[in-house]
Amino acid sequence: MSSVIKDPGSSGPSGTTQLVATLFAKSKPAGDTSADITPTDGRQQNVSSIPPRCPSELTTVLNTLVAPYTIQLQSALPLSPRVHQLIYTTTSPGFPPDLRNLPQLTSFERTHSLEIVLQYLPSPSDAPSTTHRTLKLAVFDLDSTLIDQEVIDELARTISITPLVAAITARAMAGELDFSASLRERVALLKGVRADVWDQLKQVVTFAEGARELCRALRRLDVKMAVLSGGFVEMAEWVKGQLGLDYVHANHLLTSPPTSTHPFPHLSGLLSPNHPIIDATQKSLLLQQIATENQIRLHESMSVGDGANDLEMLGVVGSKGGLGVAFKAKERVQTAAPNRLNSTSLTDLLYLLGYNEVEIAELVRE
């Protein structure tokens, strides 16, 4: 496979590190009539070869933003007709964590209809010496990330209280409500849902575009995978089996035997007191626990989610040089997360590891 992210130990003077900017073209800017480029054979391209949709002034913009850190362009590489990667070297030990949210950068993205994902690779002594970014652990949220639905809202639908529960879910995911308290409130409303509802829901739930393909690719790359869900273990275990994941942690619901009011086994409206609620803090702790058990460092990890309860696990990975990606996330989460990506397919996360279109096609094949 072709080299995209260079080994920092050989990419520049002693002590250098890398800033990698992956540019996703959402659509051509108004007035741009240029044709798409064809996928390359992986050879380095001069920045002037980047098509107009990724104009060369990006170099100037990024250099201006990170001027105190002595950034210089190392290479530019088209990964697909709509994805490009620019790699910069710097002698700085770091850059401001809010670099992505600087007005100049967001304005540039808007003007050129781009979305830019910035990665700061660890120091040479810790960085992976590989042709692509080394990834050993990938941790995912479940609802609205690996699957399209919020399972708790689908449970509510079976007893016709979806609007009530969904309104609370939306506020909780946006960070407007305490997650644990709002979960208990919503679970209480589910009292009376049939305990065998899960088989019914498996016919309703749909996997997010690219979820199966991404997990297939990560298995080929020997990446450990986990789902850490603020939803429920019954659905999370099923998804684990469907996608070939290694770990699952989710909330446990209690069931009640038949009663005169509900003459069938049903949800009690309570969470198990013997299991912790999988809230933001638990997700972060569980991620670190899985990494430690497998002797994986956090800069070799990726976490992906969309809700406010995912921010801690995105942040703990991002703060150590890993990939913490808010994927099609709520507005507050996009602003606060280390990185955001609003793509139609989860397979686009593979571009962040430095794989090009041809390589991704090979990784995701059945």
Side-chain angles (χ1 to χ4, degrees):
M1 290 186 175
S2 61
S3 175
V4 177
I5 298 179
K6 297 293 184 179
D7 174 6
S10 61
S11 63
S14 176
T16 61
T17 54
Q18 293 179 323
L19 173 63
V20 181
T22 309
L23 288 68
F24 292 82
K26 295 189 284 188
S27 63
K28 292 183 181 180
D32 180 4
T33 58
S34 63
D36 286 343
I37 63 168
T38 54
T40 70
D41 59 5
R43 291 176 296 181
Q44 284 195 28
Q45 302 293 312
N46 198 302
V47 72
S48 62
S49 70
I50 296 179
R53 67 168 58 184
C54 302
S56 58
E57 66 255 32
L58 175 61
T59 307
T60 303
V61 173
L62 286 183
N63 278 334
T64 299
L65 293 176
V66 293
Y69 305 94
T70 322
I71 295 292
Q72 62 183 36
L73 180 65
Q74 176 187 330
S75 63
L77 196 69
L79 301 182
S80 85
R82 63 184 179 85
V83 184
H84 296 74
Q85 202 163 72
L86 304 182
I87 303 176
Y88 296 83
T89 56
T90 173
T91 56
S92 167
F95 66 89
D98 61 350
L99 179 64
R100 182 182 57 77
N101 293 316
L102 289 177
Q104 301 97 311
L105 189 61
T106 55
S107 174
F108 183 83
E109 288 178 301
R110 237 181 357 259
T111 300
H112 298 285
S113 198
L114 298 169
E115 188 160 40
I116 302 174
V117 178
L118 298 177
Q119 302 177 53
Y120 178 71
L121 295 191
S123 61
S125 60
D126 294 328
S129 55
T130 178
T131 55
H132 297 89
R133 176 163 190 154
T134 297
L135 186 70
K136 296 183 179 180
L137 173 64
V139 172
F140 301 95
D141 175 42
L142 177 60
D143 298 47
S144 298
T145 300
L146 287 179
I147 62 175
D148 293 319
Q149 293 78 14
E150 293 285 339
V151 170
I152 197 165
D153 296 350
E154 298 305 317
L155 289 169
R157 194 181 308 281
T158 67
I159 55 174
S160 303
I161 59 168
T162 304
L164 178 58
V165 171
I168 302 171
T169 300
R171 294 186 65 198
M173 292 301 98
E176 297 174 9
L177 300 174
D178 175 77
F179 178 81
S180 296
S182 69
L183 179 62
R184 290 192 183 94
E185 180 183 0
R186 287 173 287 162
V187 167
L189 293 170
L190 298 177
K191 182 176 181 179
V193 170
R194 296 184 65 96
D196 60 2
V197 70
W198 303 104
D199 286 337
Q200 176 184 336
L201 289 191
K202 290 170 189 176
Q203 306 305 312
V204 173
V205 164
T206 54
F207 285 93
E209 183 175 343
R212 289 185 183 276
E213 293 81 1
L214 173 63
C215 291
R216 188 181 303 132
L218 294 179
R219 286 199 306 274
R220 281 203 168 98
L221 294 169
D222 294 323
V223 176
K224 294 289 185 183
M225 292 183 286
V227 60
L228 304 181
S229 175
F232 306 112
V233 71
E234 291 85 352
M235 184 58 64
E237 286 282 5
W238 177 73
V239 168
K240 173 178 177 281
Q242 289 287 305
L243 299 182
L245 309 181
D246 301 288
Y247 299 91
V248 60
H249 292 277
N251 295 303
H252 291 251
L253 294 166
L254 294 180
T255 59
S256 295
T259 64
S260 57
T261 307
H262 303 101
F264 44 80
H266 57 276
L267 301 186
S268 69
L270 298 172
L271 291 162
S272 169
N274 299 320
H275 298 87
I277 290 178
I278 309 301
D279 59 7
T281 299
Q282 277 296 314
K283 287 190 176 191
S284 175
L285 292 174
L286 287 166
L287 184 156
Q288 294 174 78
Q289 176 184 312
I290 294 169
T292 299
E293 288 174 357
N294 290 277
Q295 298 182 314
I296 296 171
R297 292 177 291 185
L298 291 183
H299 74 251
E300 300 168 321
S301 304
M302 175 175 69
S303 53
V304 184
D306 76 301
N309 61 324
D310 297 315
L311 278 172
E312 287 192 32
M313 75 171 186
L314 301 182
V316 72
V317 169
S319 68
K320 299 298 183 180
L323 281 169
V325 184
F327 190 82
K328 295 169 66 172
K330 313 305 182 285
E331 183 177 355
R332 176 199 162 194
V333 181
Q334 295 206 32
T335 301
N339 280 299
R340 69 170 187 272
L341 183 59
N342 293 290
S343 169
T344 57
S345 175
L346 283 164
T347 57
D348 279 356
L349 292 168
L350 294 169
Y351 287 118
L352 302 184
L353 305 181
Y355 293 96
N356 66 36
E357 185 176 54
V358 174
E359 294 167 333
I360 290 173
E362 178 65 17
L363 284 170
V364 305
R365 65 177 172 78
E366 293 190 47

